[in-house]
Amino acid sequence: MGDGTAATADLATQLEKHRVELTGYCYRMLGSSFEAEDAVQDTLVRAWRSHDRFEGRSSLRSWLYRIATNVCLDMLKAGGKRARPMDLTESAPLAQAALAPRPDHVWLEPVPDSRVLPAAGDPAEAAVAKESVRLAFMAALQRLPPKQRAVLILREVLAWRASEAAELLGTTVASVNSALQRARATLAERAESGADAEVSDPLDEEQQKLLERYVQAFEGYDMTALTALLHEDAVMTMPPFDLWLTGPTDITGFMSTMGAACANSRLVPVRANGLPAFAQYKPDPEAGGYAPWAVQVLEISAGRITGFHCFLDTQRWFPLFGLPLRLEGEADQVEQQG
């Protein structure tokens, strides 16, 4: 009896060790933080139930990846590719800006780094892992058919050999190589249509200063200072709305008009998708203090902000990032301390 309990506990520990990397894999496959968590849970339950049939011919890790791949491919049969606003519509000029929401399942979702990036081992592997969850790369992955997506992630991100990927997918090495070639060609086309974020890890001094200036400009709602930080082709998105804006004039114009209630917000740093990010709390005139408004994910290139992506569904995002659903105002804090 005791031995059985120990073996069960040991299996649970072994399976749990793989949770973060499996979540990263499922997130890249599905484009959704919540679906990735569900897929991993399903994978671990299936592994638990069928462990007596696991013959040890492959490693536990590759067996788990096989189960996770099948779970993801089943989930993707329903169709529907997750996207960013700029993958769906044309950029709207500020004069025509309208906030039209689309359902949750349409959008590529942000994810906290801690959920999908295993604790740093090899720096080169850690860099690849980070780059492969960035929003632009994730959006490009979503363009690939599911099998090509799996091949590209296994070969390029996880550095599996073609023979290992073929065994996992129940196919031939030639088929894996062909799928990888097609996937690379699709990604190369996408790369030419827009620069990805160039964020060093850890952030270099220039990037760190840029973020400090950004926080100062945003919290002070200083549109002149913000304009100086935005690239001339900077893009602003606000899922679940399909509106997206291009260029400092339209972005700051929007923030000064439709977004004026964000003045005097507070920003709390977080890490999302291998990129710098902030939880934005805006003043709550009714209850006092600050209410959650968005998780902002920033893309930086050549000393400027090129992407400013605000994910507005705070009831989902803030708990996922372990963030409180309210910040006290300075006056409240003084009273509490008194």
Side-chain angles (χ1 to χ4, degrees):
M1 180 82 177
D3 286 354
T5 309
T8 301
D10 185 46
L11 174 59
T13 306
Q14 283 182 55
L15 293 175
E16 196 57 38
K17 275 181 195 165
H18 297 279
R19 182 181 290 274
V20 174
E21 65 168 315
L22 286 172
T23 306
Y25 177 63
C26 295
Y27 174 67
R28 293 177 187 101
M29 284 291 289
L30 301 168
S32 160
S33 342
F34 295 104
E35 285 183 2
E37 303 253 342
D38 291 346
V40 171
Q41 203 50 42
D42 193 2
T43 297
L44 296 180
V45 167
R46 289 188 195 190
W48 180 270
R49 286 184 182 150
S50 60
H51 190 256
D52 55 337
R53 297 200 297 279
F54 170 55
E55 296 163 4
R57 283 182 304 195
S58 60
S59 69
L60 176 68
R61 179 173 180 251
S62 58
W63 182 61
L64 287 170
Y65 269 97
R66 181 177 302 156
I67 299 171
T69 301
N70 290 332
V71 169
C72 290
L73 292 175
D74 284 347
M75 289 171 82
L76 289 166
K77 274 179 190 159
K81 297 172 180 175
R82 289 180 176 265
R84 301 170 301 169
M86 52 275 214
D87 302 321
L88 301 177
T89 60
E90 293 299 314
S91 176
L94 182 59
Q96 293 165 23
L99 295 176
R102 296 204 192 191
D104 289 341
H105 65 77
V106 169
W107 302 116
L108 177 61
E109 297 180 348
V111 72
D113 285 4
S114 59
R115 300 256 177 166
V116 293
L117 298 174
D122 178 299
E125 280 176 27
V128 169
K130 264 193 178 169
E131 282 165 22
S132 67
V133 292
R134 289 190 181 155
L135 295 173
F137 185 80
M138 287 292 302
L141 277 180
Q142 295 295 301
R143 291 295 178 96
L144 300 175
K147 281 267 172 73
Q148 280 185 33
R149 206 180 299 177
V151 166
L152 186 99
I153 298 164
L154 291 167
R155 295 281 284 115
E156 303 274 276
V157 179
L158 301 173
W160 286 39
R161 292 193 298 272
S163 56
E164 294 171 320
E167 190 184 339
L168 181 141
L169 293 164
T171 186
T172 63
V173 169
S175 170
V176 162
N177 288 338
S178 168
L180 181 59
Q181 211 169 352
R182 292 197 303 277
R184 279 176 175 160
T186 304
L187 258 58
E189 281 167 30
R190 297 274 298 160
E192 283 164 22
S193 64
D196 193 2
E198 298 165 9
V199 183
S200 55
D201 179 36
L203 295 177
D204 64 33
E205 196 179 348
E206 187 190 5
Q207 291 166 347
Q208 197 62 57
K209 282 186 176 156
L210 176 64
L211 290 180
E212 285 165 15
R213 286 164 62 203
Y214 169 74
V215 170
Q216 207 171 356
F218 192 93
E219 289 190 343
Y221 231 56
D222 181 341
M223 294 303 137
T224 307
L226 202 56
T227 297
L229 305 179
L230 293 170
H231 189 275
E232 60 185 14
D233 297 324
V235 164
M236 178 184 186
T237 67
M238 291 163 284
F241 300 113
D242 60 14
L243 171 74
W244 62 285
L245 299 162
T246 311
T249 305
D250 278 4
I251 292 172
T252 56
F254 178 89
M255 289 171 68
S256 314
T257 53
M258 292 171 88
C262 290
N264 302 310
S265 287
R266 292 286 169 267
L267 297 182
V268 175
V270 291
R271 293 290 302 184
N273 293 81
L275 294 164
F278 296 94
Q280 178 197 342
Y281 292 83
K282 71 176 186 178
D284 185 340
E286 288 171 20
Y290 299 88
W293 182 246
V295 171
Q296 303 179 355
V297 183
L298 303 187
E299 292 170 320
I300 300 171
S301 185
R304 289 279 181 278
I305 293 166
T306 54
F308 173 52
H309 306 289
C310 304
F311 295 90
L312 302 182
D313 189 354
T314 50
Q315 294 301 316
R316 297 171 81 219
W317 302 130
F318 276 52
L320 184 74
F321 280 83
L323 292 159
L325 285 171
R326 178 179 166 72
L327 283 187
E328 300 298 342
E330 280 83 3
D332 303 328
Q333 288 169 346
V334 170
E335 277 175 33
Q336 284 174 1
Q337 285 165 1

